[in-house]
Amino acid sequence: MNKTEFIDELSRVLSYPNDKCIIINEILENNFFISKKSKDKIIGEFIQKLDVNHEEAIRIYDMAVTIINEEVKNKLKHPFRSNS
């Protein structure tokens, strides 16, 4: 999955416009999102930059992580499959 596909998938699952999903992607790219410390920082940035409440920021984070995890699992199951 490339960046555009990830942003499109975020837009689909969150029902957010692409411009907000681009901001979400930039925040995730600028942070190492696996650690607890980074999770709190990312959620704080979502609240600040997207003007959402804490619960919505957690939902955004969880959905983004779910998309990434599914893609990783898919790659592990089918390492030679093309995304095209």
Side-chain angles (χ1 to χ4, degrees):
M1 174 178 286
N2 64 33
K3 185 189 299 192
T4 303
E5 292 169 334
F6 177 71
I7 290 169
D8 290 343
E9 182 67 8
L10 269 178
S11 180
R12 187 186 69 74
V13 299
L14 295 172
S15 299
Y16 277 14
N18 263 11
D19 59 330
K20 277 196 171 189
C21 292
I22 290 170
I23 294 169
I24 293 167
N25 184 63
E26 289 172 356
I27 293 169
L28 292 171
E29 284 183 342
N30 292 331
N31 293 282
F32 183 70
F33 68 93
I34 294 180
S35 74
K36 171 72 171 146
K37 184 177 176 182
S38 292
K39 178 181 178 179
D40 294 338
K41 181 180 178 205
I42 291 168
I43 289 172
E45 286 188 44
F46 287 160
I47 292 168
Q48 179 186 17
K49 293 182 179 178
L50 299 172
D51 193 29
V52 296
N53 63 32
H54 189 261
E55 291 76 24
E56 182 63 12
I58 291 172
R59 185 178 86 86
I60 294 167
Y61 179 87
D62 289 343
M63 295 304 284
V65 169
T66 298
I67 293 168
I68 292 166
N69 285 341
E70 288 300 316
E71 186 61 23
V72 169
K73 286 179 193 175
N74 188 37
K75 282 291 184 191
L76 290 173
K77 288 180 181 178
H78 310 286
F80 302 110
R81 181 182 294 170
S82 173
N83 284 341
S84 311

